[in-house]
Amino acid sequence: MKVAEMPVESVFPRLEALLPHVQKPIQYVGGELNSTVKEWDATDVRWALMYPDAYEVGLPNQGVMILYEVLNERDGVLAERTYSVWPDLEALMREHGVPQFTVDAHRPVRAFDVFGLSFSTELGYTNMLTALDLAGIPLRAADRTLDDPIVLAGGHAAFNPEPIADFIDAAVIGDGEQAVLEMTEVIRAWKAEGRPGGRDEVLLRLAKTGGVYVPRFYDVEYLPDGRIARVVPNRSGVPWRVSKHTVMDLDEWPYPKQPLVPLAETVHERMSVEIFRGCTRGCRFCQAGMITRPVRERSITGIGEMVEAGLKATGFEEVGLLSLSSADHTEIADIAKGLADRYEDDKIGLSLPSTRVDAFNIDLANELTRNGRRSGLTFAPEGGSERIRKVINKMVSEEDLIRTVATAYGNGWRQVKLYFMCGLPTETDEDVLQIAEMAKKVIAKGREVTGQNDIRCTVSIGGFVPKPHTPFQWAPQLGVEETDARLEKLRDAIRGDRKYGRNIGFRYHDGKPGIIEGLLSRGDRRVGAVIRAVYEDGGRFDGWREHFSYDRWLRACQTALPPEGLDLAWYTTRERTAEEVLPWDHLDSGLDKDWLWEDWQDALDETEVDDCRWTPCFDCGVCPQLDLDIQIGPTGKKLLPLTVVNAAPGGDASA
């Protein structure tokens, strides 16, 4: 009998007996404020949405939260959420035959039409395989039947889904709001017709829309040296290149309207509003900035309405103003002042994820902290030396940084966090040691401005990983040993300084996770065998330091890659040439490959490029190719007069 014809029952009675035996059982029970449970039989297209990480990381994820609400608003459509279960519950689920379940109604994931996973990092791939196996869904897409859901990848990592091509049925690149609704209609029509042609037919219909990538409809041919010769469609009507989805009017998509309020502690305890999408600063390492072009701002009034609705729906006491570079919104000063004025009596705090050194000003900082607590400020110079900042196109001078932190310390801040990367193209030991010098100057300036010694500066370092669809997609990655040696020198330079070292915190990751992330971010279909081997060897939660095992990944590479004539270094520390076919070339982010190559050459020449929001177009390709345009203010509107919350009767509520 087919799954679709069986009553879909909750697995909670079986799950409940296991929960007393696991850590943090509350993360599996569901029932959060603003969650949705629909009648199964009253809907005809059903989505299980997964952020492939623990509940505490996955629940606040904006992407999943938005799609959950967009889908559930539609008649006849149901969406529920599922997250990765910790190894303690996984073992019990296997022992007692409890399948991967949703937290909303505890329905088995295999019963849904679509199992959609949002990957913000490639290190979630092993968690996907765990969920598939627990759900009873064959790991290989080729082994699935009509009764298995369509396994769909989205999120930033889906811009190169080739390493997981064996395990997914489809991928969507770009914004998901309209894409999931278009897919829903295709699936609904196919089901209404009696599912003609089976699984192959519905995937073909999705592929023919031009906006859904179905790996099985493309053959990859290789050259004798291991590089890709070409990627070709193997079905008629399937496009040679698959386009990304772009939502152009953010005010038409004011989601989430009813943000989820977690039951258990999560990484972000706040209500968040995305104030704009896209970035044209042109940082060459930044995949998010490149693939989300063009810039599309939400209007100041749209932001105000979302904050008002979201606070009413949640009761949160902090509002996160999210984007890749929030202080670059053309009306950020008015937004911050308007919100601080409006919620002054309610003590609602405002936060930006991090602040660009050249976009920071004390008025903005004071508005952001007026109603909340004054915590530390975070800035991201990314590179320690002026030279390396030119290479990566991060146009921040040391003078800018020192002037900015002086202003911050002088206005009452005591803690500044600086974020850098190690292993950037052309980087030398000297470039990295400049980070120590910069941190010392920050402390010295703070002491000078405040006349006090209790100034703190934390230096946080991440390893650089070259990403697809960026100018650095051709760059060699720095090896593990070289990365660790460079960071050791930096640590010694900081800790060995008697005058300032005690006031400088130093946090860094070793080079091992970065190399594996590099393998997965620029890999092709042959890397799938490595991912599967790691999963079968017990790999789970690879994004968590305590669960990640470099030795496990190394063993898998040494087993799976040599039969293909390849090794880990071939995918990571090797520089690519201009003519090489890259595994993701058939997925169109809108960026012109020739433009990316020119920008890579500019990087090697240490040539900076301006932000095209304020200068003539640099022909990156996005706007004309996708028939789009940069959308920015100012609109000339003000957030107030919205009535001030808790204003005295008859009081003046205007700005």
Side-chain angles (χ1 to χ4, degrees):
M1 186 178 280
K2 291 175 179 163
V3 170
E5 296 166 356
M6 295 170 64
V8 176
E9 295 177 357
S10 168
V11 304
F12 194 72
R14 288 187 284 154
L15 174 69
E16 190 175 19
L18 309 181
L19 295 183
H21 307 289
V22 302
Q23 289 188 320
K24 300 183 184 174
I26 196 168
Q27 65 190 310
Y28 305 117
V29 301
E32 300 94 346
L33 182 63
N34 300 325
S35 61
T36 304
V37 175
K38 285 187 166 183
E39 288 295 323
W40 187 267
D41 295 336
T43 57
D44 52 9
V45 181
R46 305 168 186 115
W47 289 69
L49 300 173
M50 182 178 199
Y51 189 83
D53 207 325
Y55 176 93
E56 63 202 77
V57 179
L59 184 125
N61 179 261
Q62 287 289 104
V64 171
M65 213 185 285
I66 288 168
L67 298 184
Y68 175 74
E69 202 172 300
V70 165
L71 287 163
N72 277 322
E73 273 191 354
R74 299 310 188 272
D75 288 338
V77 184
L78 172 156
E80 297 187 10
R81 296 162 294 125
T82 185
Y83 305 103
S84 295
V85 300
W86 285 109
D88 58 356
L89 182 58
E90 180 193 339
L92 288 169
M93 287 167 66
R94 291 186 186 281
E95 183 184 338
H96 295 275
V98 176
Q100 181 79 23
F101 56 88
T102 61
V103 294
D104 297 288
H106 297 93
R107 290 164 172 148
V109 165
R110 186 170 184 253
F112 289 77
D113 296 304
V114 186
F115 180 27
L117 299 104
S118 178
F119 292 102
S120 56
T121 168
E122 298 84 359
L123 292 172
Y125 291 160
T126 49
N127 280 3
M128 171 184 68
L129 296 188
T130 306
L132 287 171
D133 193 41
L134 283 172
I137 300 168
L139 296 187
R140 291 178 68 243
D143 297 334
R144 291 176 197 144
T145 69
L146 188 58
D147 296 329
D148 291 303
I150 295 165
V151 178
L152 173 73
H156 287 181
F159 276 80
N160 176 25
E162 291 301 280
I164 52 171
D166 287 348
F167 315 121
I168 61 170
D169 296 296
V172 167
I173 59 172
D175 299 333
E177 292 95 333
Q178 291 159 322
V180 295
L181 295 178
E182 290 165 10
M183 288 185 66
T184 295
E185 291 313 310
V186 172
I187 294 164
R188 174 180 273 152
W190 170 75
K191 287 183 74 176
E193 293 165 26
R195 306 196 293 183
R199 192 177 190 81
D200 214 54
E201 171 67 19
V202 70
L203 291 172
L204 192 57
R205 291 187 189 187
L206 290 168
K208 285 182 175 179
T209 64
V212 179
Y213 173 56
V214 180
R216 72 166 67 183
F217 297 144
Y218 294 80
D219 293 331
V220 182
E221 299 169 6
Y222 299 99
L223 297 169
D225 64 4
R227 291 178 302 154
I228 295 170
R230 61 179 193 151
V231 179
V232 289
N234 56 33
R235 297 287 181 96
S236 64
V238 173
W240 280 82
R241 299 190 81 201
V242 178
S243 300
K244 80 167 178 180
H245 296 260
T246 305
V247 169
M248 281 313 296
D249 188 347
L250 292 188
D251 283 336
E252 287 184 5
W253 298 87
Y255 295 92
K257 299 171 185 173
Q258 302 272 317
L260 292 162
V261 180
L263 292 175
E265 187 178 349
T266 58
V267 290
H268 298 303
E269 302 282 345
R270 66 185 179 209
M271 180 247 155
S272 297
V273 173
E274 183 185 27
I275 62 173
F276 71 88
R277 218 171 262 187
C279 183
T280 45
R281 285 279 189 166
C283 300
R284 294 175 173 127
F285 58 83
C286 182
Q287 184 189 45
M290 292 289 171
I291 62 178
T292 58
R293 292 180 176 210
V295 168
R296 294 144 283 151
E297 287 189 353
R298 203 181 292 280
S299 71
I300 186 169
T301 46
I303 293 165
E305 287 160 9
M306 283 187 71
V307 170
E308 183 179 19
L311 288 175
K312 275 183 186 168
T314 62
F316 280 127
E317 295 177 346
E318 183 183 339
V319 176
L321 303 175
L322 303 188
S323 77
L324 292 172
S325 184
S326 296
D328 283 342
H329 192 292
T330 48
E331 296 175 289
I332 189 63
D334 286 338
I335 291 166
K337 183 179 187 315
L339 291 174
D341 285 347
R342 178 147 210 269
Y343 298 105
E344 188 157 18
D345 290 343
D346 278 5
K347 298 296 181 206
I348 300 295
L350 303 175
S351 65
L352 302 186
S354 74
T355 313
R356 285 187 61 96
V357 171
D358 50 349
F360 176 86
N361 66 71
I362 207 65
D363 292 335
L364 173 60
N366 284 334
E367 296 295 0
L368 290 170
T369 57
R370 196 200 317 169
N371 303 339
R373 58 192 174 84
R374 179 166 289 202
S375 54
L377 290 168
T378 301
F379 300 104
E382 310 289 2
S385 70
E386 198 93 17
R387 186 194 75 80
I388 206 73
R389 289 194 294 276
K390 287 181 179 176
V391 171
I392 65 178
N393 206 46
K394 188 87 177 188
M395 292 176 283
V396 175
S397 69
E398 188 172 284
E399 292 72 32
D400 286 338
L401 179 72
I402 299 301
R403 187 167 56 247
T404 297
V405 297
T407 306
Y409 285 133
N411 281 270
W413 273 271
R414 288 290 172 270
Q415 173 109 1
V416 169
K417 183 177 179 181
L418 302 178
Y419 182 81
F420 298 91
M421 281 191 285
C422 177
L424 291 160
T426 78
E427 180 186 273
T428 64
D429 287 357
E430 186 52 39
D431 291 313
V432 170
L433 290 172
Q434 283 295 311
I435 295 171
E437 297 307 308
M438 187 183 282
K440 292 172 195 175
K441 288 175 184 173
V442 164
I443 296 290
K445 190 54 137 178
R447 288 177 179 175
E448 176 193 323
V449 169
T450 64
Q452 296 178 11
N453 282 339
D454 66 334
I455 298 298
R456 292 284 301 164
C457 171
T458 300
V459 170
S460 186
I461 309 233
F464 165 68
V465 178
K467 294 284 182 177
H469 307 280
T470 70
F472 288 167
Q473 64 185 0
W474 291 278
Q477 192 172 351
L478 193 65
V480 170
E481 291 79 12
E482 297 90 336
T483 300
D484 291 350
R486 205 164 275 176
L487 288 171
E488 209 170 296
K489 287 176 184 170
L490 176 59
R491 185 193 63 201
D492 292 345
I494 290 173
R495 290 186 180 163
D497 190 287
R498 289 187 173 181
K499 191 174 181 184
Y500 300 114
R502 190 171 292 180
N503 295 69
I504 301 171
F506 185 48
R507 295 180 189 158
Y508 66 95
H509 294 286
D510 63 32
K512 292 174 180 176
I515 279 289
I516 300 309
E517 189 183 332
L519 165 74
L520 299 176
S521 70
R522 290 196 292 176
D524 51 43
R525 294 188 182 186
R526 295 168 291 188
V527 172
V530 177
I531 298 168
R532 180 157 185 169
V534 169
Y535 160 72
E536 290 173 345
D537 193 22
R540 309 283 189 276
F541 289 94
D542 286 297
W544 294 66
R545 183 182 292 189
E546 60 268 39
H547 292 277
F548 174 81
S549 165
Y550 182 66
D551 291 341
R552 186 187 283 134
W553 281 94
L554 212 53
R555 280 197 303 273
C557 288
Q558 288 164 351
T559 304
L561 296 178
E564 304 284 354
L566 307 170
D567 58 18
L568 179 58
W570 192 85
Y571 284 106
T572 54
T573 55
R574 174 179 70 92
E575 184 170 351
R576 279 69 167 164
T577 58
E579 65 277 1
E580 181 165 345
V581 175
L582 302 173
W584 51 88
D585 279 350
H586 56 297
L587 299 171
D588 187 4
S589 62
L591 295 159
D592 185 71
K593 192 177 179 183
D594 289 339
W595 176 81
L596 287 170
W597 177 262
E598 287 166 17
D599 206 39
W600 169 227
Q601 300 310 299
D602 282 343
L604 297 175
D605 293 338
E606 299 169 21
T607 302
E608 295 170 311
V609 177
D610 288 326
D611 185 338
C612 66
R613 258 173 292 193
W614 326 115
T615 57
C617 174
F618 290 108
D619 295 323
C620 75
V622 169
C623 293
Q625 191 164 317
L626 300 176
D627 194 23
L628 309 171
D629 207 352
I630 289 173
Q631 294 184 348
I632 57 171
T635 60
K637 296 181 180 177
K638 293 286 183 203
L639 198 58
L640 296 172
L642 282 168
T643 35
V644 174
V645 177
N646 295 335
D652 181 11
S654 61

